[in-house]
Amino acid sequence: MKYSVGDEFPEVIFNWMDDKFEVQKAGTGELFDNKNIILVGMPGAFSPTCSMMHLPSFIKSAKEFKDLGIDEIFCVLVNDVYVAKVWGESTGATKAGIKIITDPLSILAETLDFEFTVKGTGLLRRLQRFTALIKDKKIERLYFEKERGVCDMTSALRILIDIIYVSISTLFALLR
């Protein structure tokens, strides 16, 4: 089933490794309830576009998102928790407050119908690159890339511009 703006985000269980190197699990209901969330979906840790463009854009903009009322930024990957923990620490995402969570069985990719495979590369049942703005478990905005290897529509800058534009438009509407 395809999901779109206005829909409640599907219940999926994510995994991550905490600071004590213990595996934690929680569902979207628990993680997203009563919060403004940015959820960034990426095919996998250490891949070129994810590591050199997509995640760095959110690391650089994490403070701006917090200032605009975003409670948490999650980055979900189709990787195991060990790879995700090392990637989060080595990129600076963890230090920036971005939580790297995993969906190793591609349940989210399948549920959202954002699943893809690139034969011959080891990218099996991966998550198509997307970014979602989720408010209290409802999808407010949903951006995804149609092509692999780019993050134009899903970059932090694109999302920041849209959030600011909507805020300004709302303000002007109130002033009328």
Side-chain angles (χ1 to χ4, degrees):
M1 173 180 177
K2 278 260 188 195
Y3 284 77
S4 59
V5 171
D7 292 341
E8 186 165 311
F9 200 84
E11 180 63 27
V12 178
I13 303 297
F14 296 117
N15 308 302
W16 68 93
M17 187 172 285
D18 66 17
D19 293 336
K20 297 176 186 173
F21 293 92
E22 294 177 4
V23 176
Q24 302 295 317
K25 295 181 181 209
T28 52
E30 181 181 343
L31 294 172
F32 299 173
D33 194 31
N34 295 316
K35 293 180 186 171
N36 292 328
I37 302 293
I38 297 282
L39 179 64
V40 185
M42 297 184 192
F46 297 104
S47 62
T49 306
C50 299
S51 295
M52 293 187 292
M53 291 187 280
H54 204 186
L55 186 59
S57 76
F58 283 91
I59 293 168
K60 290 175 192 168
S61 302
K63 183 184 180 319
E64 286 79 9
F65 281 114
K66 299 283 183 190
D67 291 346
L68 289 170
I70 299 300
D71 298 306
E72 296 198 59
I73 300 172
F74 292 99
C75 176
V76 61
L77 307 165
V78 180
N79 286 103
D80 61 73
V81 293
Y82 305 102
V83 168
K85 177 144 181 83
V86 170
W87 190 59
E89 290 174 355
S90 68
T91 59
T94 304
K95 187 176 181 180
I98 297 170
K99 293 184 174 63
I100 308 293
I101 57 178
T102 68
D103 178 28
L105 299 177
S106 298
I107 304 299
L108 180 63
E110 185 179 330
T111 302
L112 293 176
D113 198 20
F114 285 2
E115 184 181 338
F116 76 94
T117 293
V118 181
K119 294 179 181 177
T121 66
L123 292 174
L124 306 173
R125 299 191 67 213
R126 294 300 173 125
L127 185 58
Q128 181 180 351
R129 189 175 313 284
F130 77 92
T131 301
L133 175 58
I134 302 165
K135 291 188 178 188
D136 193 24
K137 299 189 290 186
K138 291 218 184 249
I139 302 169
E140 291 285 316
R141 298 225 180 333
L142 185 59
Y143 312 83
F144 64 95
E145 300 294 345
K146 294 181 181 178
E147 296 180 40
R148 288 190 347 258
V150 297
C151 62
D152 299 328
M153 300 301 296
T154 58
S155 73
L157 180 59
R158 172 62 187 246
I159 309 313
L160 280 170
I161 289 169
D162 279 359
I163 290 172
I164 292 167
Y165 175 78
V166 167
S167 297
I168 290 170
S169 296
T170 302
L171 179 62
F172 280 133
L174 291 172
L175 294 173
R176 287 187 200 176

